[in-house]
Amino acid sequence: MTKNPSKLTIVQGTTNKPVSARRLVDFFAHHTKYDGFLFIGYPIIGTAEGPYPIDALLVSKSKGLVVFNLVEGRDVEGVQEIQDDSYNKIESKLRSHKALMKGRNLQVPIHPVTFAPVFDNVSTFSKENYPVCNEKNLEQWLDGCQWNNPNYFESLLAVIQAISTIRKGRKKRDIQKSDSRGAKLKRLEDSIANLDNLQGRAVIETVDGVQRIRGLAGSGKTIVLALKAAYLHAHHPDWKIAVTFHTRSLKGQFRQLINTFTIEQTNEEPDWENLHIIHAWGAPGGGDRNGLYYSFCQTNGIEYYDFGSAKRKFGQDNEFKGACQTALDACANPLSIYDAILVDEAQDFPPAFLRICFNMLKKKKRLVYAYDELQNLSSQSLPSPEEIFGRHSDGSPIVRFAPNQPGRPQQDVILKKCYRNSRPILVAAHALGFGIYRPPDKAIGTGLVQIFDHYQLWFEVGYKVAEGKLADGHNVTLTRTDENSPKFLEDHSSLEDLIQFHCFHTEEEQAQWVVKAIQENLDTDELRTDDIVVVNPNPLSTRSAVGPIRKMLFERGINTHLTGVDTPPDVFFESDSQSIVFTGIYRAKGNEAGIVYIINAQDCYSSFGNTAKVRNQLFTAITRSKAWVRILGLGNKMELLQKEFDEVQNQNYCLRFLYPTSDQRKHLNIVNRDMTEDERQRIYKNKSGLTQLLEDLETGRVYPEDLGVDQIKRLKNLLGREIG
């Protein structure tokens, strides 16, 4: 798990002993000979008496397990009882794991110690087996701690991180064939059951202030946020904590993850009175209808807008942005409600909503927001924290991220590794989403639909330059690294099986193919119904589009449900019944399945005024897959889309393209920008009128002089500026 055994990784969690914790961190930061992991404020051990937090823990290949009891002042009375207590609870936890035992003997040495940095007379209180240390004698004492059997280190670290069941499937699998899809999926789930080091740090490290977590779809952001909420709740059960999100079907997933982790850590269920899993918008009525925006309005006595009134007031596509901004403008001194707020899918929220969250927090302003750099495939990422949260009256930013420093909690966490999508699936999704192999558009000289403005983002999401140069106007080839796309995610099946395109002549042919494939998944492949998701990218046509397929499956005795129609808005998988999920793209976000069928993908090839949006819908649908994806569609547009995928295969799943110039990016963003329906209609009308005007001028039915001198002059100036 750690590549460099001579290096110590310091993971700074939450603690109620900040001075001694800081002194302990500084000690290890200056004494670089130690290896392993130093956890501050972690783990929390569930006992019959309730949760028992450990002040600090050193997990080391050379030392074993060092359990620190931290003392803030000079009172070191009772150290024997405290050390005995921490030793017994840690030992009990470790003994429950066979991987750390040999016969009846625990294979890990446990060394308890009291660290009292401001207490000078440590020698007086130190007794055999009950050491008391400060910075002066800690090194000498640690030199006497030895572990001669470090082969158990990896297992020990996995146990301490205690995430052993968090990623595994919802139900136990009944596997009869070792080479079935069900068996392959089980091996995948077992392989990624534990969090990696960076994810573990993101869960535990706590910032008094704003923290940002970025990463690809499948990098574990939702899991990290859920576990972070549970961790904070376990440490501070009296805090009011909120977890919020954009996709309503994520609510059940958050509740299950938080509940599982809290029980794992504390042997108790969460106190849901203090830990709220709450929608972003909300409405009157209480209970599940509550939301952060609604609570903000209600608490501060300001006008609340529901979706309908917001649409009428602020216009289509500006509903939530307008409602949030109006609420902020109407409230000069908002009341604080929460001690911590965690926001998932932040890329789907307007900055004004993040400011509402910020204003709902008490003095420390503990706000954690996670987002996907590519989930919307937008040409620009979320604004910087300086832009989102604004500036003080003297011009200084209200929120500023300090550079990450060793031994300090990270404010800006980047999760590069993708655990959901294999390299071929992820690269194909990016190629199709960006339009890497799309035929060039004559208007802008590139086939790209959208691109990042900042090159660095490619590296931050796990790509490297294989050939060429990542610079304006240069050819470049980008590939994913083995480190960020683990090979085991693709080695279970052939490349041809991981991702497939199928083009049909009629909707009936498409429906029959899907039904036959799903029947085989259930009868032969040993997949469960909750391993299968069928996505229709166009949210407006989903209900009618999936009807024929669902009818044919029903006739074969296979149950299905359409999310948000046959189920409450918060439900994606039906846990109590065997039913296959059919969904539109918005409810699919944040969820995943072993095999994903995407129907009517031709709708994602292009759309006037919304090409970027429909390409993003395809990208999002593809990246729901944990193992296999089938992209299906009809007609000429589907054939063109398949040609792009064929080129992805020809390029051995690399992104090979001419990086656009800044001028091309400017025009690209304009041509492919998302438009409202009103904007599209206005452009249609103007283009039609312009075409007619050009024809009239060419045939002599209208003379230039008829347009007027001022209009001709304005038109010349505009065209001259654009051409120049």
Side-chain angles (χ1 to χ4, degrees):
M1 188 170 289
T2 177
K3 288 188 171 182
N4 185 357
S6 65
K7 183 179 179 182
L8 182 73
T9 298
I10 299 173
V11 182
Q12 181 80 54
T14 183
T15 178
N16 59 0
K17 300 178 179 179
V19 175
S20 51
R22 179 75 264 145
R23 297 274 287 267
L24 184 64
V25 166
D26 288 343
F27 170 86
F28 281 103
H30 289 95
H31 293 75
T32 57
K33 66 180 183 180
Y34 299 102
D35 63 88
F37 290 79
L38 175 68
F39 295 98
I40 302 295
Y42 184 86
I44 303 169
I45 300 173
T47 71
E49 295 81 28
Y52 184 90
I54 299 295
D55 290 343
L57 196 70
L58 175 66
V59 187
S60 166
K61 276 189 175 181
S62 60
K63 305 296 178 185
L65 208 58
V66 179
V67 186
F68 290 94
N69 161 234
L70 303 180
V71 175
E72 286 288 85
R74 291 180 167 83
D75 183 7
V76 293
E77 296 294 336
V79 296
Q80 295 184 25
E81 182 181 352
I82 294 172
Q83 289 187 22
D84 285 343
D85 213 19
S86 59
Y87 180 97
N88 292 334
K89 287 177 170 57
I90 283 282
E91 183 188 40
S92 177
K93 178 182 178 68
L94 299 187
R95 279 184 171 275
S96 65
H97 294 269
K98 289 183 179 180
L100 301 178
M101 301 294 295
K102 188 174 182 180
R104 299 181 182 181
N105 298 317
L106 180 64
Q107 299 302 296
V108 180
I110 303 172
H111 309 286
V113 59
T114 296
F115 180 68
V118 300
F119 184 68
D120 293 326
N121 196 17
V122 292
S123 58
T124 302
F125 277 82
S126 286
K127 299 179 181 179
E128 186 177 0
N129 297 325
Y130 296 100
V132 178
C133 295
N134 56 22
E135 287 100 334
K136 295 177 182 178
N137 67 330
L138 181 58
E139 181 178 11
Q140 180 183 356
W141 179 81
L142 284 170
D143 287 344
C145 301
Q146 299 296 326
W147 188 13
N148 298 319
N149 199 358
N151 294 332
Y152 289 87
F153 175 76
E154 301 291 339
S155 298
L156 172 63
L157 190 57
V159 169
I160 294 300
Q161 289 184 325
I163 319 295
S164 57
T165 62
I166 217 67
R167 282 182 182 266
K168 292 185 179 181
R170 289 169 288 276
K171 304 171 187 173
K172 187 176 180 180
R173 296 186 180 278
D174 182 19
I175 302 300
Q176 304 296 324
K177 297 179 289 186
S178 62
D179 62 341
S180 69
R181 292 193 192 277
K184 293 175 180 178
L185 201 53
K186 183 180 185 303
R187 288 193 289 270
L188 278 176
E189 291 168 344
D190 290 345
S191 296
I192 59 175
N194 291 306
L195 297 187
D196 66 34
N197 292 336
L198 190 55
Q199 292 169 324
R201 289 187 65 183
V203 169
I204 300 167
E205 292 193 332
T206 303
V207 173
D208 283 340
V210 177
Q211 187 178 41
R212 178 174 69 178
I213 300 174
R214 296 181 282 162
L216 289 166
S219 59
K221 297 182 303 302
T222 296
I223 288 176
V224 165
L225 275 189
L227 302 194
K228 194 174 192 72
Y231 171 71
L232 290 173
H233 178 60
H235 251 292
H236 306 283
D238 57 323
W239 280 11
K240 292 287 185 183
I241 300 173
V243 180
T244 192
F245 40 86
H246 187 269
T247 303
R248 294 192 66 175
S249 59
L250 278 178
K251 185 169 187 176
Q253 185 180 154
F254 266 117
R255 189 176 181 91
Q256 181 263 325
L257 286 168
I258 291 172
N259 196 59
T260 299
F261 186 70
T262 303
I263 293 172
E264 255 189 15
Q265 292 287 290
T266 68
N267 279 356
E268 297 178 351
E269 289 198 5
D271 177 1
W272 298 113
E273 292 296 317
N274 283 343
L275 179 53
H276 301 162
I277 305 173
I278 186 171
H279 300 133
W281 197 313
D288 286 342
R289 293 177 60 82
N290 199 10
L292 280 182
Y293 161 70
Y294 174 74
S295 293
F296 183 81
C297 294
Q298 185 183 47
T299 303
N300 293 288
I302 56 181
E303 184 178 6
Y304 159 79
Y305 289 89
D306 61 17
F307 181 81
S309 60
K311 185 175 182 179
R312 291 189 294 272
K313 176 76 173 179
F314 309 111
Q316 186 173 338
D317 298 331
N318 285 312
E319 297 91 350
F320 199 39
K321 176 183 177 181
C324 289
Q325 189 58 56
T326 300
L328 287 169
D329 293 341
C331 189
N333 297 297
L335 298 173
S336 56
I337 302 173
Y338 289 104
D339 296 280
I341 296 178
L342 297 88
V343 182
D344 198 11
E345 305 180 306
Q347 76 279 351
D348 293 326
F349 291 120
F353 175 70
L354 293 179
R355 289 196 292 275
I356 279 183
C357 294
F358 188 81
N359 285 330
M360 294 179 78
L361 286 164
K362 296 176 184 177
K363 187 176 180 180
K364 293 290 187 180
K365 300 297 183 184
R366 300 180 188 92
L367 175 65
V368 184
Y369 65 99
Y371 67 95
D372 186 344
E373 294 284 11
L374 300 180
Q375 186 78 316
N376 282 335
L377 288 174
S378 56
S379 57
Q380 294 182 344
S381 187
L382 266 182
S384 68
E386 291 86 353
E387 293 178 77
I388 292 174
F389 300 104
R391 296 180 179 273
H392 295 290
S393 56
D394 62 359
S396 62
I398 295 173
V399 174
R400 175 187 287 152
F401 287 168
N404 291 335
Q405 299 176 12
R408 299 289 192 273
Q410 298 179 85
Q411 264 192 291
D412 190 14
V413 180
I414 300 173
L415 303 176
K416 295 183 178 181
K417 191 174 292 188
C418 180
Y419 284 105
R420 180 191 299 151
N421 311 129
S422 63
R423 175 188 59 91
I425 287 178
L426 193 57
V427 172
H430 291 160
L432 296 168
F434 280 119
I436 297 289
Y437 299 115
R438 181 171 169 259
D441 187 327
K442 294 180 181 178
I444 53 178
T446 177
L448 291 168
V449 173
Q450 49 203 329
I451 201 71
F452 291 134
D453 279 339
H454 305 293
Y455 309 126
Q456 186 63 28
L457 288 176
W458 288 105
F459 304 120
E460 291 180 354
V461 298
Y463 282 89
K464 67 176 182 179
V465 175
E467 295 178 13
K469 186 178 181 181
L470 192 58
D472 288 10
H474 287 262
N475 287 301
V476 67
T477 301
L478 300 174
T479 60
R480 288 198 64 77
T481 66
D482 291 344
E483 172 68 18
N484 296 322
S485 282
K487 293 291 286 184
F488 71 84
L489 292 174
E490 62 181 278
D491 286 346
H492 59 82
S493 300
S494 65
L495 284 174
E496 294 75 19
D497 190 33
L498 292 174
I499 179 168
Q500 294 179 2
F501 268 69
H502 295 280
C503 188
F504 303 95
H505 293 99
T506 66
E507 291 183 357
E508 185 178 2
E509 285 183 9
Q510 177 182 248
Q512 290 173 343
W513 191 94
V514 173
V515 169
K516 182 180 178 182
I518 290 176
Q519 183 86 64
E520 185 175 348
N521 292 154
L522 299 175
D523 294 347
T524 305
D525 296 335
E526 297 188 317
L527 293 181
R528 303 186 309 233
T529 53
D530 61 350
D531 292 324
I532 304 166
V533 167
V534 182
V535 182
N536 183 70
N538 184 348
L540 300 178
S541 67
T542 295
R543 191 166 188 168
S544 59
V546 303
I549 303 175
R550 296 183 66 200
K551 181 175 183 293
M552 294 168 69
L553 287 171
F554 178 76
E555 291 169 350
R556 296 187 180 211
I558 300 173
N559 292 328
T560 67
H561 63 275
L562 180 58
T563 57
V565 176
D566 302 323
T567 64
D570 298 340
V571 174
F572 193 76
F573 292 101
E574 286 198 316
S575 57
D576 297 331
S577 64
Q578 294 186 348
S579 179
I580 291 174
V581 175
F582 280 71
T583 181
I585 193 60
Y586 293 120
R587 295 191 186 277
K589 289 183 69 175
N591 292 285
E592 62 184 19
I595 187 166
V596 173
Y597 294 92
I598 303 166
I599 61 174
N600 299 320
Q602 74 278 353
D603 292 341
C604 298
Y605 180 75
S606 64
S607 175
F608 177 73
N610 272 317
T611 297
K613 184 175 183 178
V614 297
R615 289 285 177 141
N616 173 52
Q617 290 171 349
L618 181 59
F619 169 84
T620 303
I622 292 172
T623 54
R624 301 308 93 204
S625 167
K626 292 196 291 185
W628 308 277
V629 63
R630 306 292 182 252
I631 303 171
L632 320 170
L634 319 172
N636 180 59
K637 284 188 174 182
M638 184 61 188
E639 291 174 354
L640 293 173
L641 201 62
Q642 181 161 358
K643 284 184 179 179
E644 292 184 38
F645 173 67
D646 291 343
E647 192 58 29
V648 178
Q649 290 181 307
N650 293 338
Q651 298 296 339
N652 194 28
Y653 296 94
C654 297
L655 303 180
R656 193 186 307 273
F657 61 106
L658 181 67
Y659 209 87
T661 63
S662 59
D663 190 56
Q664 283 178 313
R665 290 199 299 274
K666 180 179 68 176
H667 286 286
L668 183 151
N669 293 341
I670 293 172
V671 170
N672 292 303
R673 71 192 187 279
D674 285 349
M675 299 181 193
T676 65
E677 185 60 33
D678 289 343
E679 288 175 320
R680 287 196 295 273
Q681 291 299 327
R682 188 162 60 250
I683 291 174
Y684 274 132
K685 181 179 178 181
N686 290 340
K687 284 180 71 175
S688 176
L690 180 59
T691 300
Q692 184 63 54
L693 176 61
L694 290 173
E695 290 179 357
D696 288 346
L697 287 168
E698 289 171 345
T699 59
R701 289 193 293 268
V702 173
Y703 293 97
E705 290 80 1
D706 296 332
L707 301 179
V709 175
D710 288 342
Q711 286 181 304
I712 291 175
K713 184 177 180 180
R714 288 169 60 192
L715 185 59
K716 282 182 177 180
N717 288 338
L718 179 62
L719 292 176
R721 188 174 72 220
E722 291 300 316
I723 294 171

